[in-house]
Amino acid sequence: MVLGASMAGLLAARVLADSYRTVTVVERDALPTEPTPRRGVPQGRLIHALLARGAQVLEELLPGILDELVADGAVKWDGDFSKLYVSPGGHRLVQSGRCPSPDSMPFYFQSRPFLDWHVLRRMRDVPNVTILERHDVVSLSATADRSRVMGVDVIDRDTREVSMLDADLVVDATGRGSRTPLFLEQLGYDRPPVDEVVVRLTYACQPVRIRPGAIAEHFIAIMPEHGRPRMFAAACYEDDATMFAIGAMAGHEVPDTADEMRDFVADFVPANVLAALANAEPLGPVVNYRVPSNRWRRYDKLRRLPDGLLVLGDAVCSFNPIYGQGMTVAAVEATVLRDCLRHGNDDLARRFFRSSVKPIRIAWQTAVGSDLALPEVEGTAPLSIRLSNAYLDRVLTACETDEAVTLRFLRVLGMVDPPAKLFSPSFMWRVLRAQGSGYRRIQAVSATHGDASATVDHASAAGTSIT
């Protein structure tokens, strides 16, 4: 039983379908029959970019889906740096040349409803998966001694009829608003401890159609930097649409009209981009959204857990969305679940939560390290993150002119490569060679605080926040 037909829920259902006789996905919405936003995915009206690792997992679990996306209109970035305008932490990444082979990896750009619908369409073809629409989860049902979850109680949103659905395994993929902490408390268990970093993000988006050729790039991302907690992004989508987005952190408000949106970023966005947006055809209204914090529910730290219950996706960890990590982390968690199931069901919950910590931690430190690098965000970054930030600033300086360094950075950013790749001796030498005397400074830091590889888990710091 999977709770929620989110991206996390559908990919979990795909993995479970290989290990269980039947899989039922319980969803509160009526699901669309064509790409369209729905209430249960409010961020579906906002800007999205699928990280490279997320695309790899989608193709692994649903073979052929990437070609389907492109055939139906998704935009594929194939390694031409001139099609990306990325500026993290005040550094504009190289915009000439191509990704060196054979390490290049594509990025795919499409709207969230377009992507969701393609995944949903494929899942509807999986014979042992059933999607139960317009049902709310009321509570978990458990054995008399409450040691095992046995299913869920649901209510039909149309008839208001309450029923119990039995399950050998319940997987919560209901998102940031997950009620599993409350359900656990009702069964006599502790709520998971929570790690949280408050960012008070506000952003606004509008889909538009830009005159062909007015903007050369597939994707533009100008991220917050020291002294300017504002950002801008534009992504090319299917049907010749472009999503125009602005944002601000630390409680700064954003406007809610297109003219005011352009004025809000006029001091740091290229004039030709602003002009193209001013002459664009609106394809929908301006939509505003707020995110209070990065939040990680630490199920991995609970000493007692009932059997038969898992939680994944945003229901475990929700990130500052400007870094584009949510779908990819959920996809990676689905592969973690698949690998855990290959070793049977015994102690599944504990094994899954402990195994999923590593990919979550990498994404968490990317987001939190980037957020805390801004003086406007409350909180103090640990020493390890501050050291990594200093080194990452040098990496980003090298990215301004070096295609090979840029590719390595994008592979780490896209979660294809681990952060440790940024700390290999040959790569560090390439970065530092462009910095001149900076090599001696890094040597001094390494001698004082140990081998630089000790901070690789924090390698995704202020410079890595670009999607």
Side-chain angles (χ1 to χ4, degrees), residues 8 172-173 175-176 311-319 326 329-330 333 352 360:
D172 177 8
R176 187 181 177 99
V311 190
L312 51 71
D314 282 359
V316 173
C317 192
S318 56
F319 309 93
V329 172
E333 286 177 291
F352 170 76
I360 293 173

Side-chain angles (χ1 to χ4, degrees), residues 268-282:
F268 63 93
V269 173
N272 71 301
V273 174
L274 293 172
L277 291 170
N279 295 318
E281 172 194 356

